[in-house]
């Protein structure tokens, strides 16, 4: 029987520190592979294609969908238009390897349906609302064209999307509070390391 690796999915509200935690965990755990998701949204200042996301056009997204390679897709009606976020089945991935990625509750549900419950490990990052809003505004302020209305839309949407009822409904059990980044990263690394051992 072939060992089936696991996919550790970092989830949380906007500006909860998911990207930074994912990058730091990836640096500290060389046995993990990064699974980068895709988006049609514009690239932010400082982002690089293939690191935070694969930045694709709507035409490229549609081609992947037609070929049956999109596992899950979420479309958000933003102030700037409709942006798609999606995960593809990368043909170069090995089933026995362990992966790390960023996702949402919705993407976790669809990943579980695709890969099976034994392979997907959601990791929920919690951060207080004040810290999140401050981070989101500061990050947006550094953009050439800040979209503060989009920050507000996402912040308000998170309240419903990540309600305790939704977390319970989606069986989110593994949670880490992000008050101190280094401590949180260490705790996440410890959890993944122990889980990989079985």
């Amino acid at each position: 029987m072939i060992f089936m690796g696991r996919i550790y999915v970092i989830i949380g509200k906007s500006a909860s520190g998911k990207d930074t935690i994912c990058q730091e965990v990836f640096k500290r755990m060389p046995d993990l592979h990064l699974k980068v998701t895709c988006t049609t949204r514009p690239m932010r200042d400082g982002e690089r294609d293939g690191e935070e996301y694969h930045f694709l056009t709507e035409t490229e997204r549609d081609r992947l969908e037609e070929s049956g390679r999109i596992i899950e897709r979420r479309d958000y009606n933003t102030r700037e238009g409709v942006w798609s976020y999606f995960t593809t089945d990368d043909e170069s991935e090995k089933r026995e390897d362990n992966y790390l990625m960023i996702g949402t509750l919705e993407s976790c549900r669809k990943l579980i349906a695709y890969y099976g419950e034994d392979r997907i490990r959601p990791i929920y990052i919690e951060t207080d609302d004040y810290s999140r809003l401050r981070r989101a505004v500061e990050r947006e302020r550094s953009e050439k064209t800040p979209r503060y209305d989009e920050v507000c839309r996402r912040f308000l949407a998170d309240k419903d999307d990540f309600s305790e009822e939704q977390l319970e409904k989606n069986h989110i059990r593994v949670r880490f509070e992000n008050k101190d980044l280094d401590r949180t990263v260490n705790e996440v690394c410890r959890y993944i390391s122990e889980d990989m051992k079985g």
Side-chain angles (χ1 to χ4, degrees):
M1 179 179 165
I2 297 173
F3 172 76
M4 297 296 274
R6 290 163 183 157
I7 301 173
Y8 297 92
V9 187
I10 306 286
I11 61 173
K13 296 176 181 177
S14 57
S16 59
K18 299 183 300 292
D19 295 287
T20 305
I21 289 168
C22 186
Q23 290 164 11
E24 288 301 314
V25 169
F26 182 61
K27 283 181 199 171
R28 298 180 195 191
M29 300 194 71
D31 290 343
L32 286 175
H33 300 270
L34 201 57
K35 185 171 179 62
V36 181
T37 55
C38 307
T39 185
T40 60
R41 78 153 165 79
M43 195 182 301
R44 291 182 186 137
D45 295 337
E47 289 183 326
R48 287 189 288 190
D49 187 44
E51 291 192 6
E52 290 82 7
Y53 292 98
H54 295 295
F55 293 92
L56 303 179
T57 64
E58 291 179 1
T59 302
E60 290 171 318
R61 176 204 63 201
D62 293 345
R63 280 198 203 111
L64 285 168
E65 197 143 52
E66 286 166 16
S67 66
R69 295 216 13 236
I70 292 183
I71 298 170
E72 61 85 23
R73 171 180 161 184
R74 293 151 280 127
D75 295 323
Y76 298 101
N77 191 11
T78 76
R79 304 281 183 176
E80 305 293 319
V82 177
W83 294 345
S84 296
Y85 292 81
F86 50 100
T87 307
T88 60
D89 188 347
D90 188 340
E91 294 165 347
S92 67
E93 286 178 10
K94 295 179 181 175
R95 294 295 219 198
E96 65 272 18
D97 287 340
N98 293 296
Y99 289 85
L100 179 68
M101 66 178 287
I102 296 171
T104 65
L105 285 177
E106 183 181 353
S107 67
C108 273
R109 280 197 303 271
K110 293 178 180 176
L111 288 165
I112 288 169
Y114 187 83
Y115 287 110
E117 199 168 3
D118 289 345
R119 286 203 72 195
I120 306 300
R121 295 289 195 273
I123 299 171
Y124 182 56
I125 304 299
E126 298 178 284
T127 307
D128 68 273
D129 286 347
Y130 173 75
S131 298
R132 290 194 312 104
L133 188 56
R134 191 187 73 237
R135 285 180 198 164
V137 169
E138 286 173 0
R139 180 173 65 190
E140 202 60 34
R141 194 169 73 179
S142 69
E143 296 289 316
K144 288 178 186 171
T145 309
R147 301 178 177 101
Y148 296 114
D149 50 356
E150 179 57 20
V151 169
C152 294
R153 184 200 68 79
R154 289 181 65 190
F155 188 82
L156 293 172
D158 282 341
K159 186 175 179 182
D160 294 328
D161 293 346
F162 290 93
S163 67
E164 285 300 321
E165 182 183 359
Q166 286 298 322
L167 294 173
E168 183 65 30
K169 179 181 174 184
N170 287 278
H171 310 289
I172 303 303
R173 303 283 185 258
V174 179
R175 299 164 76 149
F176 297 96
E177 191 171 3
N178 186 20
K179 283 187 175 178
D180 176 273
L181 178 64
D182 194 56
R183 181 178 174 181
T184 304
V185 170
N186 285 335
E187 289 173 348
V188 172
C189 287
R190 191 178 307 116
Y191 161 73
I192 292 174
S193 179
E194 289 172 1
D195 187 73
M196 284 195 301
K197 291 174 187 172

